[in-house]
Amino acid sequence: MRAWLITVLVVLALTVVGTGALGAALLSRTTTAGNRLVDEILPAQRDALRLETAVLDQETGVRGYLLAHEPALLEPYERGRADETEAARRLATVLADDEGVREDLAAVQRAARTWREEFAAPAITSVENGTTPPSAQAGKDRFDEVRRRVAAQQARLDRLQDDARSTFGAARTQRDRVLLAIVVAFLLAGVALAVLLDVGVLR
C-alpha cells in the first residue's frame, strides 16, 4: 500500500512539475506575441497612417496655394511637415528592430523629400516671386511615387500584423490545450488515488 501510494504521489508531482513548466513556457510565448501585436505593430500602423496623412496634407496645402495664392492655404503644408517628422520618429522607434520597416520608412521619407525639393518648394517660390511654377505633371509624378512608397509600407505592416495575430492565436491554442491536459492529469491522478485508497484501505 505504501509503495502504491508513493508511486501515485510521485507521478502526480512529476505531472505537476512537467505541465507547470510547459504551461509557463507557453504562457510566456503567448504574452510575448500579444505584447508585440499590441505594443509594437498596432502603434506602428497608427503612426504609418499619421505619416500618410501628413504627406497628403502637404500636397493639399501646396495645391491650394498654387490655385488661390493665399498664404493661409500653406498651413496644411507646414503642419504636415511637422507631423511627418513626428510620425516618422515614432515609427522608427516602435519597430526599430525590423529592418524592412526601417527601409520602407526611409523610402517614404526620400520620396517625400524629393517631391518637396523638386516640386513643392519651387512651386511655393514661384507664387511668391510671380514666376512660372514647375510642371504640374512632374509634381504629380513625384507625389505618385510617395503614394507608392506609403502603400508598400502599409502592406508590410499589414503582413506583420497578420503574422503576429497568427502567432498569438497558435500560442493561445497551445496554452489552452496544455491547461486542459493539466486538468485531465489531475483528475486521473485523483481517480487513481481514490481507487488505490478504496482497494488498499477501505476494503
Side-chain angles (χ1 to χ4, degrees):
M1 178 61 191
R2 183 181 296 110
W4 278 105
L5 183 59
I6 291 174
T7 300
V8 172
L9 292 177
V10 168
V11 171
L12 182 59
L14 292 176
T15 301
V16 170
V17 172
T19 55
L22 182 58
L26 290 176
L27 182 60
S28 175
R29 181 186 174 194
T30 304
T31 302
T32 300
N35 289 343
R36 175 169 172 77
L37 181 63
V38 174
D39 297 335
E40 296 181 9
I41 295 176
L42 294 181
Q45 288 182 311
R46 288 195 297 268
D47 290 332
L49 288 175
R50 292 190 183 103
L51 180 62
E52 180 180 12
T53 301
V55 295
L56 290 175
D57 284 346
Q58 294 175 55
E59 195 269 343
T60 299
V62 172
R63 187 173 65 248
Y65 184 60
L66 285 175
L67 292 174
H69 294 190
E70 289 290 338
L73 294 177
L74 279 178
E75 191 275 334
Y77 174 76
E78 300 297 341
R79 184 183 68 246
R81 293 193 64 177
D83 291 346
E84 176 191 343
T85 300
E86 180 61 20
R89 183 191 65 79
R90 287 197 302 262
L91 183 56
T93 301
V94 75
L95 281 176
D97 60 337
D98 193 302
E99 183 178 356
V101 172
R102 293 199 307 270
E103 291 175 353
D104 286 343
L105 176 59
V108 171
Q109 291 180 296
R110 281 196 303 270
R113 184 167 56 250
T114 299
W115 171 78
R116 282 193 297 269
E117 292 175 350
E118 297 184 5
F119 177 76
I124 293 172
T125 302
S126 70
V127 172
E128 294 172 345
N129 298 336
T131 57
T132 302
S135 167
Q137 183 59 46
K140 180 181 181 300
D141 292 342
R142 297 293 183 274
F143 202 77
D144 284 345
E145 177 64 16
V146 176
R147 293 179 189 273
R148 284 192 290 270
R149 296 300 183 179
V150 168
Q153 181 183 64
Q154 292 286 4
R156 181 186 297 275
L157 291 174
D158 288 342
R159 290 194 299 272
L160 288 176
Q161 183 190 46
D162 291 340
D163 292 344
R165 288 187 183 278
S166 297
T167 301
F168 180 69
R172 187 170 55 185
T173 299
Q174 290 180 339
R175 180 202 62 192
D176 293 342
R177 289 175 178 171
V178 169
L179 291 177
L180 179 60
I182 292 174
V183 172
V184 171
F186 272 111
L187 290 176
L188 292 177
V191 170
L193 187 59
V195 171
L196 180 60
L197 291 174
D198 179 67
V199 172
V201 177
L202 299 179
R203 293 189 181 181

